Amino acid sequence: MVTAEPGSTQRWFAPGFLEREPARGGALLHSLRDADAESYALVCDALAAYDVRGRLAEIAAPVLAIAGVDDAPTPPASLEEIAVGVRNGRLVTLDAVGHLAPAEAPHAVSSLVTSHVTASDQAYAAGMNVRRQVLGDAHVDRATAAITDVNRDYQDLITRYAWGTIWTRPGLARRDRSIGVLTALVAGRHFEELEFHLRAALTNGLTREEIIEVLLQTSIYVGVPAANTAFAVANRVLNE
């Protein structure tokens, strides 16, 4: 077994790990011992000063935070702060694990990461599939072609969650979801989106007459001015 500064061993590993896995632990301690001391210290200083916790809420992608119960440098509370701070985070805490979870519990970490990535990819794939079915390939292709560095995370968000999580739920039929969407768009006066959601409603099985009834119902509870614009849009779409 490689000897090392006792403090490093305690900070890096959970109690008993070096006894159980001397080769793996020894290789990691070798890398620490062989690192240039000044460079290592400079990296530590840089990391200590790089605090971006105030920007966690900007992260829209799903985040999996894996913490070791015996991790002293980054304890579970630190990982929980990240998981809670991002828009969609999850914290998993591993027992008998210190600072280097991938080395101390490789199978558990691998399984967690694989499940996380697979679930995330499945949600995106399911969302894109439903989005194309409801809105049509031409609309989705235009939206995809218009993706920039500014709206990339937003497009990913609506594909995964609006389309991949909500629209795929079994609780309502798609035609019923279209009724809710049309009502909400008129109520919010989002007429720029009403046109393509009227076409989506037809795709989802609503008839021309049913759409007219939805707009009539909406006009009573939302108001005539909004209904005026909604019927103007519907007149154009339904008479195409």
Side-chain angles (χ1 to χ4, degrees):
M1 181 185 300
V2 175
T3 58
E5 169 71 31
S8 298
T9 302
Q10 293 170 3
R11 284 190 296 271
W12 276 26
F13 305 123
F17 173 72
L18 285 177
E19 288 72 25
R20 294 192 309 271
E21 298 288 346
R24 190 183 307 164
L28 291 167
L29 290 173
H30 263 304
S31 68
L32 175 62
R33 186 188 62 186
D34 295 341
D36 179 75
E38 183 177 0
S39 299
Y40 188 90
L42 289 172
V43 169
C44 290
D45 288 341
L47 289 173
Y50 191 69
D51 186 354
V52 292
R53 287 174 294 179
R55 299 181 59 188
L56 286 174
E58 299 175 18
I59 299 175
V63 172
L64 170 65
I66 301 176
V69 168
D70 299 309
D71 187 350
T74 53
S78 297
L79 276 295
E80 183 178 19
E81 184 177 5
I82 294 174
V84 172
V86 299
R87 298 181 192 177
N88 180 25
R90 181 167 72 101
L91 171 66
V92 176
T93 303
L94 301 179
D95 293 328
V97 170
H99 188 56
L100 302 179
E104 296 177 77
H107 298 298
V109 171
S110 176
S111 177
L112 287 167
V113 171
T114 299
S115 297
H116 176 74
V117 172
T118 301
S120 181
D121 288 346
Q122 287 175 344
Y124 185 89
M128 184 58 74
N129 183 48
V130 173
R131 192 177 180 186
R132 288 186 178 279
Q133 290 176 3
V134 173
L135 300 180
D137 288 336
H139 175 86
V140 176
D141 288 342
R142 285 194 299 272
T144 302
I147 290 176
T148 67
D149 290 340
V150 174
N151 65 11
R152 179 172 287 106
D153 288 344
Y154 172 71
Q155 287 293 323
D156 183 83
L157 178 74
I158 61 174
T159 299
R160 291 181 189 276
Y161 298 103
W163 296 104
T165 300
I166 298 301
W167 275 86
T168 57
R169 290 177 61 85
L172 289 174
R174 287 187 187 175
R175 67 188 314 280
D176 299 326
R177 293 189 185 280
S178 279
I179 291 173
V181 170
L182 294 180
T183 303
L185 290 176
V186 177
R189 290 168 167 73
H190 301 301
F191 301 115
E192 68 283 356
E193 293 197 11
L194 181 61
E195 182 171 340
F196 65 78
H197 270 289
L198 283 167
R199 295 192 179 92
L202 292 169
T203 300
N204 286 337
L206 287 175
T207 66
R208 183 177 185 275
E209 290 71 25
E210 287 173 325
I211 289 174
I212 292 172
E213 288 299 323
V214 170
L215 295 180
L216 283 171
Q217 181 82 9
T218 303
S219 70
I220 297 301
Y221 290 92
V222 172
V224 171
N228 283 337
T229 305
F231 270 103
V233 176
N235 189 61
R236 182 170 64 253
V237 172
L238 297 179
N239 288 319
E240 287 179 347

